[in-house]
Amino acid sequence: MDKLIITGGARLNGEIRISGAKNAALPILAATLLADGPVTVANLPHLHDITTMIELFGRMGIEPVINEKLAVEIDPRTIKTLIAPYELVKTMRASILVLGPMVARFGEAEVALPGGCAIGSRPVDLHIRGLEAMGATIDVEGGYIKAKAPEGGLRGANFFFDTVSVTGTENIMMAAALAKGRTVLQNAAREPEVVDLAHFINAMGGNVQGAGTDTIIIEGVERLHSATYKVMPDRIETGTYLVAAAVTGGRVKLKDTDPTILEAVLDKLREAGAEVTTGADWIELNMHGKRARAVNLRTAPYPAFPTDMQAQFISLNAVAEGTGAVIETVFENRFMHVYELLRMGAHILVEGNTAVVTGVAGLKGAPVMATDLRASASLVLAALVAEGDTLIDRIYHIDRGYECIEEKLQMLGAKIRRVPG
Ligand code: EPU
């Protein structure tokens, strides 16, 4: 297993490009299954989760073609089996995103039920109930969700999400795109990735309105056609590099991103003392060598502060001046990074869903272990400011969501290297 070795202390300074968004690319790849001709998806990040989704397509008999510009072309008409096997689903929960499109387009699907998860229980009951509301019959047998559309195909329905769910909203939205009649989704997720997926469905000839609000209206269409689509920038990668500059007192300019999709994060960075300037597709953060001030924050669905940035801000608070309370309301077990940060000398007290972080003057490098994607990002950030070397184990978690992390950090002046293990 590869490891990262980071020698802390370098003040970051430079410019890098932000990659396409993992959490938009995954549902968009799943939605290609809805089309009745080849679809090309561009700006896909080079990440382990994307490779897993492509491998899943391969298992179903579809062979995605990668062109010279690294865009992927998928022809869903070549599908041979409608099964998403457990070996793949257990490595990536987002595989559940093929359920809605397969039932809508091919009338049936078997998708392994994702198991437990490092950040919380993460059930998929809302995905199942949404499809049932559209007339699908669903049985869970042998660890698989076996879904069948009714005679004549899925029917539009009114569905209320009693918890806001990002992939739940996406799954039902994709299914509704080819259902008969109108579907109204209430208490829908408003994340920018949901909006990107709606734009993609509409680019294939679909009719989705209201994405980005809590009520999404989908008029089902007979067929969706070929299209070419460019995935939006990754707001969590963007936020992570901004925090990297902030913790080191440095400056970073991020290109090919979008400042309007992470306003809650930019506000918190300003509150922490950073100077943040933005243009249409870039963000620059300058800390002018200062130490950050600790901030209080509470995660919640978009447009509130994202749970996917919580771990990184715990690292920021860990070296900031003062004390900040971080409340996690989306997942029940997303503080695993705290116990690794304690090994580096952080002062953090966890009580229920709240972490009270008192900044220390300096962290010390230590061997630590990544437990999930964003937790591992927070360890990288802490290591960038820690005294001496930090060895981060299990970095396959990082490779799921951060494209070329060591190259990008090296370009900003960090001392980071990968050691194959
Ligand atoms: N929930 C249910 N029932 C469901 C679905 C969700 O109770 O059927 C609960 C979950 O247990 C959780 C809450 O609803 O407490 C929100 O979960 P959500 O369904 O929104 O999460 P998700 O769709 O599985 C996506 C991202 C996550 C991100 C969350 C929250 C993708 C592929 N994943 O997950 O990203 O943390 O939304 O914003 O879009 C990451 O990139 O590191 C990551 C974990």
Side-chain angles (χ1 to χ4, degrees):
M1 255 185 280
D2 288 4
K3 297 178 177 54
L4 284 177
I5 298 179
I6 299 175
T7 309
R11 182 166 287 172
L12 299 194
N13 188 7
E15 280 187 24
I16 52 169
R17 182 192 162 260
I18 292 302
S19 303
K22 167 180 85 77
N23 289 348
L26 291 171
I28 286 171
L29 285 173
T32 63
L33 292 171
L34 295 166
D36 66 3
V39 177
T40 303
V41 184
N43 202 29
L44 283 176
H46 187 68
L47 294 174
H48 215 265
D49 275 8
I50 302 297
T51 317
T52 305
M53 192 59 120
I54 288 173
E55 198 182 331
L56 177 57
F57 277 58
R59 292 291 188 91
M60 298 191 298
I62 301 172
E63 287 306 331
V65 179
I66 301 179
N67 73 16
E68 67 288 354
K69 286 188 180 148
L70 288 179
V72 169
E73 186 185 288
I74 291 165
D75 190 343
R77 293 170 303 185
T78 59
I79 199 161
K80 288 174 199 73
T81 55
L82 298 168
I83 301 173
Y86 181 56
E87 308 97 81
L88 286 177
V89 177
K90 74 176 183 202
T91 67
M92 187 181 72
R93 305 180 59 85
S95 314
I96 188 81
L97 285 165
V98 298
L99 180 66
M102 283 205 286
V103 183
R105 169 85 162 87
F106 304 107
E108 57 185 288
E110 281 186 31
V111 178
L113 194 60
C117 173
I119 61 177
S121 58
R122 301 183 80 180
V124 290
D125 55 307
L126 294 166
H127 302 236
I128 293 176
R129 280 179 19 221
L131 288 173
E132 282 174 341
M134 299 173 83
T137 317
I138 299 193
D139 292 305
V140 177
E141 259 178 57
Y144 279 74
I145 304 168
K146 299 186 176 177
K148 243 188 169 49
E151 199 73 28
L154 294 176
R155 300 182 294 266
N158 288 342
F159 187 71
F160 177 83
F161 287 88
D162 42 38
T163 303
V164 178
S165 168
V166 178
T167 49
T169 301
E170 292 164 346
N171 230 339
I172 308 309
M173 187 164 95
M174 291 187 278
L178 284 182
K180 303 235 152 16
R182 166 185 292 202
T183 297
V184 180
L185 303 181
Q186 282 177 293
N187 201 24
R190 291 182 279 168
E191 269 64 7
E193 293 76 14
V194 173
V195 179
D196 210 34
L197 174 64
H199 288 157
F200 173 58
I201 293 173
N202 290 344
M204 294 189 291
N207 185 351
V208 181
Q209 308 296 329
T213 75
D214 62 4
T215 306
I216 302 179
I217 299 167
I218 306 118
E219 298 287 350
V221 295
E222 286 271 305
R223 54 177 288 261
L224 292 169
H225 52 65
S226 295
T228 296
Y229 194 77
K230 183 175 173 225
V231 173
M232 64 177 284
D234 197 310
R235 65 193 163 99
I236 306 302
E237 189 197 25
T238 303
T240 303
Y241 284 105
L242 294 175
V243 176
V247 287
T248 62
R251 181 201 76 97
V252 73
K253 183 167 182 182
L254 305 176
K255 294 179 295 186
D256 293 344
T257 187
D258 178 354
T260 65
I261 55 179
L262 72 161
E263 281 173 358
V265 172
L266 299 184
D267 282 352
K268 283 291 159 192
L269 287 165
R270 290 189 177 106
E271 197 183 317
E275 182 192 4
V276 180
T277 42
T278 61
D281 63 353
W282 58 266
I283 304 175
E284 182 168 337
L285 180 142
N286 199 336
M287 210 62 201
H288 297 288
K290 285 182 311 201
R291 184 176 173 197
R293 288 189 295 273
V295 291
N296 296 323
L297 62 91
R298 183 174 184 276
T299 68
Y302 194 85
F305 190 92
T307 172
D308 288 345
M309 283 301 299
Q310 176 257 103
Q312 298 88 320
F313 268 72
I314 290 210
S315 291
L316 178 71
N317 277 349
V319 293
E321 220 176 296
T323 299
V326 175
I327 306 173
E328 170 60 54
T329 77
V330 179
F331 292 112
E332 69 266 28
N333 185 31
R334 214 178 191 181
F335 282 138
M336 299 287 277
H337 43 287
V338 164
Y339 306 100
E340 300 300 305
L341 293 171
L342 294 179
R343 304 191 65 255
M344 300 174 72
H347 284 187
I348 307 170
L349 200 72
V350 174
E351 177 70 47
N353 69 347
T354 304
V356 179
V357 191
T358 302
V360 293
L363 294 173
K364 293 216 163 59
V368 289
M369 203 146 66
T371 49
D372 75 72
L373 171 55
R374 309 304 170 187
S376 38
S378 76
L379 299 179
V380 170
L381 298 176
L384 290 172
V385 270
E387 190 188 316
D389 285 355
T390 297
L391 177 77
I392 307 181
D393 202 351
R394 302 203 179 163
I395 58 159
Y396 52 86
H397 289 294
I398 299 187
D399 296 331
R400 297 182 56 172
Y402 291 92
E403 184 175 51
C404 303
I405 187 160
E406 68 267 31
E407 287 85 349
K408 288 190 181 184
L409 283 172
Q410 278 161 5
M411 282 171 71
L412 298 174
K415 295 205 179 81
I416 176 170
R417 66 195 163 91
R418 184 179 288 251
V419 281

